Amino acid sequence: MDFILGATITLGILGMIFGIGLAIASDTFAVKVDPRIDSINEILPGANCGACNQPGCNGFAQAVVEGKALVSDCSVGQATVAQRIANIMGVTFEKRERSISVVMCHARGVKDKFTYDGIKDCRAANIIGGGFLGCDYGCLGFGTCVEACKFEAMYMGKDGLPKVIEDRCTGCGKCAVVCPRNIISMVPESKRVHVRCKSLDKGAVARKTCQDSCIACKQCEKKCPYDAIHVQNNLAVIDYNKCTSCGKCVEVCPNHTIINFAREKSRSMSTILA
Amino acid sequence: MIPYVKSKLKTFVGGIHPREDGKHLTRDTKEIAAPLPKTVYLLMNQHIGAPCKPIVKKGDFVKKGQLVGESQGFVSANIHASISGKVLDVAPWPHPVTGTKSPAVIIERADDDSWIEGADVPFDPDQITPDQIRQLVQSAGIVGLGGATFPTHVKLTPPRDKTIDTVVMNGAECEPYLTCDYRLMLDKPHEIIQGLKLVMKCIGCKNAHIGIEANKEDVYALFKSIVSDEPNIKVDLLEVKYPQGAEHQLIKALLHREFKPKQLPLEVGAIVINVATAFSIYEAVRFKRPLIQRIITVTGDGVEKPQNFLVRLGTPVKSLLEEAMASPHINKIIFGGPMMGIAQSNRDTAVTVKGTGGILALRSAQQFRSRACIRCGRCIEHCPYGLNPGELSIQSEAQEFNLAQENNVMECKECGCCTYICPAKRPIVHLIKFAKVEIAKQTAKKAASAG
């Protein structure tokens, strides 16, 4: 009996000493965490996509509290999350327009330069002989961008080109980063007219390689009432700050390179359902 | 089969012995001058470093040896007209190595084939100073003709704090099928030794070491007799093994010096010069001839008459293949040898560049189905750089590029031994290339964001 009692008392005293020690230690060595970091972290989407250029969502929460990032920098959470973070931080924020990714290639009838038999990844294919595609600027079509999308907002269409489901796109820009040919651009959502070509080849060469290429005829440049589209290095480029998506250039484009996505959207939705 | 069996001949650890090296096809063909091409396409980036700037324009008349591409920066090499004629155009042309279009000077041949004034004048090399040699080599646009195309004058200008005690000359020619260096060594041994001596004079070092693979014993005997009264130039036979002619492997085999990761040959006190480079240095210094031609082996089962040709730079491959009587059943054309060469996408637009040592035309284009790595470890046994290629390829496949970088993927020189030996037929070199490109992109991005 004495034996049990002795053990219990010893353990009890030991437990008490350790308990007090731990209690003191947790108080004196406590790491002071700003409570705002935790509450911001709860609001964030938690995808750790890295679109904000911070190491994950926790990193972003810290950066916001330290003033290194803006409350509206989380492109995934968009305005709702930004508003809630702004409430916690006690600041106002400027509402920014959502950017979505647009695939700037519409390759049709492009022949291959050679038989490619290697790794099924656009980045790996692009380093072998400058890419197997007849066009040096066009989409290689292995879907590296689709793999990179963490929000399932992209899929490979039946025509071999990646498609963006605009409702799901968060504008994180991961697809644009992985594309070895810089075909994907991040464009404000309200801009609906895009030049779907990246070819810098001269008109005649470009037309030979692809039916839908920009041939630098400058028709769009002449027609644009807002001075928003210009041909640079054999390619029409839209200045989205000036563009109003009026669609005048779409009408005159002889090769149907410039496309009005307002009309295109319904079609792409139907292909998803089909 | 086992790489670490001790051989009597000097060699390195790792590497492979290709079963059929195909050298018998062209071994005994004395090189002949290829007929002058109607048009040459001189690409402006035929070397490692900054591309040249074209200094002629459409309609100009240029003479053989005239400067048409001016080097931009120190690590760059001049490009000279290889024929006399009219400049048809300065336009982008597909590059046989990168596959993308690069600026090129296109020249149509005129009837006369005489050198430009100032070139092709004999010059006494005994009176020359090291700086003059360096300057002549630089203006002649000489690059490493073994295939790496690194500008030679950069090699001849070692940093002040490094001392070079030995010049190693590479006469190994380990790449299967190619015999261009072999033929050059047989026909111009004295000129090559002269070129080697110029290099030694230029960097002020006393010793030289020539490495020749054991399948070229006649060359070994020839070189041995030439340098018999010069004790500071040693000639050694090397085991027949690929990649015996690579810089690191040659130094390991001949000088028994080991490399730490990321070390260059000059950091262990040696520089490596290819025999073809030594010959063109001799030509540049002795006769002030810029680098406008080289020997190219046109071989493979796709040509009826495999042959060594003396070819002007920028010659279309089509005309060379016609000259070697190409069969209509060619399925693959490779620039360089089968191990490190670059397959060509278009036989009509391919033109020769300074680094082209061979054109390999093959009838069969085998396609392999690659499987998962079976962890047999053969790639590790055969890797001449002591890497773990299988693991690196798996990391690259999983897009764990940072992990691959920690495992020294950047040390890989893409010699291809691992892919050759892999029983699962994995595209190891391609995966490693992929990882290297992605790491380079990340580093560039970090450097850009840092400032």
Side-chain angles (χ1 to χ4, degrees):
Chain A
M1 197 63 200
D2 276 357
F3 178 68
I4 295 172
L5 203 66
T8 318
I9 291 166
T10 321
L11 275 178
I13 292 166
L14 273 175
M16 219 145 96
I17 294 167
F18 288 142
I20 292 163
L22 281 173
I24 294 165
S26 78
D27 198 47
T28 37
F29 302 118
V31 181
K32 274 182 195 133
V33 182
D34 196 318
R36 291 179 297 179
I37 292 177
D38 276 340
S39 42
I40 290 173
N41 217 351
E42 274 166 31
I43 297 165
L44 290 171
N48 292 325
C49 67
C52 53
N53 282 329
Q54 303 293 343
C57 289
N58 197 23
F60 174 68
Q62 260 174 26
V64 169
V65 172
E66 284 164 18
K68 285 177 191 162
L70 294 173
V71 289
S72 53
D73 273 356
C74 179
S75 61
V76 179
Q78 296 166 27
T80 20
V81 167
Q83 183 60 57
R84 288 173 69 186
I85 300 174
N87 290 345
I88 292 169
M89 296 296 294
V91 292
T92 51
F93 81 102
E94 239 176 82
K95 195 171 174 184
R96 272 194 296 183
E97 200 190 342
R98 184 170 79 118
S99 281
I100 52 165
S101 53
V102 179
V103 182
M104 299 292 188
C105 175
H106 198 195
R108 246 192 329 151
V110 184
K111 283 190 187 121
D112 283 358
K113 274 196 284 191
F114 54 90
T115 330
Y116 175 70
D117 187 27
I119 307 157
K120 299 273 181 285
D121 186 301
C122 299
R123 290 168 293 180
N126 198 37
I127 54 176
I128 301 298
F132 59 88
L133 200 72
C135 172
D136 282 348
Y137 308 92
C139 175
L140 293 166
F142 283 127
T144 302
C145 48
V146 176
E147 268 171 47
C149 182
K150 291 198 174 180
F151 303 97
E152 296 185 350
M154 293 184 91
Y155 66 100
M156 288 308 287
K158 281 176 190 161
D159 53 357
L161 290 168
K163 300 276 184 289
V164 181
I165 305 169
E166 293 186 2
D167 302 339
R168 286 194 196 158
C169 179
T170 61
C172 69
K174 281 272 149 177
C175 48
V177 172
V178 293
C179 180
R181 295 189 156 193
N182 297 326
I183 289 167
I184 301 176
S185 303
M186 307 309 295
V187 179
E189 197 184 8
S190 65
K191 306 292 174 190
R192 307 306 311 174
V193 174
H194 306 298
V195 182
R196 293 193 76 182
C197 183
K198 282 273 178 185
S199 172
L200 301 180
D201 279 335
K202 277 185 185 162
V205 183
R207 183 158 208 166
K208 244 184 217 169
T209 42
C210 175
Q211 294 172 22
D212 284 318
S213 60
C214 175
I215 53 169
C217 64
K218 298 201 175 181
Q219 292 282 343
C220 47
E221 199 176 298
K222 282 175 205 149
K223 195 80 183 175
C224 182
Y226 305 98
D227 191 37
I229 187 162
H230 291 283
V231 174
Q232 300 160 358
N233 296 330
N234 301 319
L235 176 66
V237 179
I238 293 177
D239 180 354
Y240 288 109
N241 291 329
K242 288 182 186 166
C243 177
T244 61
S245 303
C246 68
K248 288 239 163 64
C249 48
V250 182
E251 286 159 21
V252 293
C253 183
N255 244 13
H256 306 293
T257 314
I258 310 177
I259 287 176
N260 193 337
F261 270 62
R263 273 185 252 148
E264 181 83 342
K265 194 179 177 184
S266 56
R267 212 192 297 163
S268 78
M269 281 311 281
S270 65
T271 33
I272 302 168
L273 298 170
Chain B
M1 214 44 209
I2 305 161
Y4 23 74
V5 169
K6 271 239 155 126
S7 160
K8 276 178 207 162
L9 298 167
K10 292 189 170 180
T11 191
F12 58 96
V13 176
I16 53 156
H17 304 263
R19 270 184 307 261
E20 296 156 14
D21 67 356
K23 289 200 194 258
H24 62 277
L25 290 171
T26 49
R27 254 185 100 88
D28 304 322
T29 62
K30 200 169 160 49
E31 83 269 10
I32 53 166
L36 291 181
K38 277 202 188 86
T39 326
V40 293
Y41 303 83
L42 296 165
L43 288 155
M44 288 294 116
N45 51 343
Q46 308 197 9
H47 47 262
I48 290 179
C52 288
K53 198 176 118 203
I55 54 165
V56 288
K57 55 184 192 300
K58 194 172 168 176
D60 284 0
F61 191 85
V62 293
K63 292 209 83 175
K64 184 166 86 170
Q66 186 179 334
L67 189 69
V68 293
E70 198 175 39
S71 67
Q72 303 287 305
F74 184 59
V75 185
S76 183
N78 287 336
I79 288 159
H80 302 82
S82 53
I83 52 171
S84 303
K86 206 175 105 186
V87 177
L88 277 187
D89 207 352
V90 180
W93 193 259
H95 195 287
V97 177
T98 61
T100 49
K101 282 182 184 160
S102 322
V105 174
I106 304 165
I107 304 170
E108 190 183 38
R109 181 165 60 93
D111 286 333
D112 104 295
D113 189 45
S114 54
W115 287 91
I116 191 172
E117 236 170 88
D120 198 32
V121 280
F123 189 80
D124 187 12
D126 292 335
Q127 308 296 323
I128 203 162
T129 63
D131 277 337
Q132 270 176 312
I133 298 176
R134 208 169 286 139
Q135 204 246 319
L136 280 170
V137 167
Q138 182 166 10
S139 62
I142 293 173
V143 298
L145 296 179
T149 65
F150 188 73
T152 303
H153 64 268
V154 184
K155 251 187 201 175
L156 296 183
T157 323
R160 288 252 168 85
D161 52 330
K162 302 279 187 321
T163 45
I164 308 287
D165 53 30
T166 314
V167 178
V168 175
M169 194 160 73
N170 170 17
E173 196 164 53
C174 54
E175 182 85 56
Y177 281 99
L178 304 189
T179 56
C180 51
D181 287 355
Y182 170 72
R183 290 311 309 181
L184 184 72
M185 286 190 283
L186 270 189
D187 297 334
K188 308 266 197 259
H190 294 279
E191 287 86 344
I192 291 170
I193 299 289
Q194 287 293 325
L196 174 65
K197 280 181 186 162
L198 287 169
V199 173
M200 288 159 71
K201 189 170 184 179
C202 181
I203 49 177
C205 88
K206 297 256 162 10
N207 302 311
H209 214 134
I210 305 170
I212 292 160
E213 266 192 2
N215 56 3
K216 293 183 263 290
E217 279 189 347
D218 40 354
V219 170
Y220 173 70
L222 190 61
F223 273 29
K224 202 91 184 165
S225 67
I226 292 171
V227 298
S228 55
D229 52 344
E230 291 179 66
N232 57 338
I233 300 179
K234 276 195 245 169
V235 189
D236 261 311
L237 266 190
L238 300 164
E239 199 187 320
V240 183
K241 195 157 82 169
Y242 175 87
Q244 185 67 75
E247 283 188 332
H248 288 60
Q249 280 60 40
L250 210 55
I251 292 171
K252 277 181 198 176
L254 289 174
L255 309 177
H256 307 292
R257 292 181 193 166
E258 285 298 325
F259 289 85
K260 289 192 193 109
K262 289 175 195 154
Q263 264 190 332
L264 294 170
L266 70 90
E267 284 168 89
V268 296
I271 65 163
V272 181
I273 297 278
N274 182 274
V275 285
T277 318
F279 178 69
S280 52
I281 290 171
Y282 169 78
E283 288 264 289
V285 176
R286 185 79 176 77
F287 298 107
K288 287 199 174 172
R289 286 180 193 151
L291 178 62
I292 58 156
Q293 59 188 8
R294 67 162 298 160
I295 297 176
I296 295 180
T297 312
V298 181
T299 184
D301 57 5
V303 290
E304 303 276 328
K305 257 172 64 186
Q307 183 73 266
N308 277 304
F309 288 110
L310 189 62
V311 181
R312 300 285 169 88
L313 283 185
T315 303
V317 167
K318 218 177 156 187
S319 68
L320 287 177
L321 286 173
E322 268 167 28
E323 204 55 36
M325 295 172 70
S327 91
H329 307 295
I330 296 175
N331 274 316
K332 200 164 199 169
I333 293 174
I334 301 172
F335 262 39
M339 295 301 291
M340 281 194 81
I342 307 272
Q344 295 302 305
S345 60
N346 193 337
R347 130 175 29 169
D348 298 329
T349 58
V351 294
T352 63
V353 287
K354 286 178 183 173
T356 314
I359 294 161
L360 187 56
L362 298 172
R363 288 187 184 204
S364 65
Q366 271 181 309
Q367 291 196 348
F368 296 111
R369 190 136 164 244
S370 73
R371 297 188 169 78
C373 173
I374 57 167
R375 307 294 205 278
C376 65
R378 280 207 220 170
C379 51
I380 304 170
E381 260 174 31
H382 290 271
C383 179
Y385 296 91
L387 300 170
N388 183 348
E391 191 66 29
L392 291 173
S393 76
I394 291 164
Q395 283 160 357
S396 166
E397 218 166 22
Q399 307 195 8
E400 295 279 358
F401 302 122
N402 291 334
L403 213 58
Q405 196 176 10
E406 278 169 32
N407 289 323
N408 290 324
V409 70
M410 297 312 258
E411 290 302 295
C412 171
K413 303 285 187 295
E414 297 161 19
C415 68
C417 290
C418 48
T419 314
Y420 177 84
I421 212 78
C422 180
K425 299 279 174 250
R426 286 173 58 74
I428 302 177
V429 174
H430 189 186
L431 283 163
I432 287 178
K433 255 186 200 176
F434 175 30
K436 282 168 83 172
V437 169
E438 287 302 311
I439 291 165
K441 263 191 225 165
Q442 278 175 18
T443 332
K445 208 173 153 192
K446 259 181 217 163
S449 65

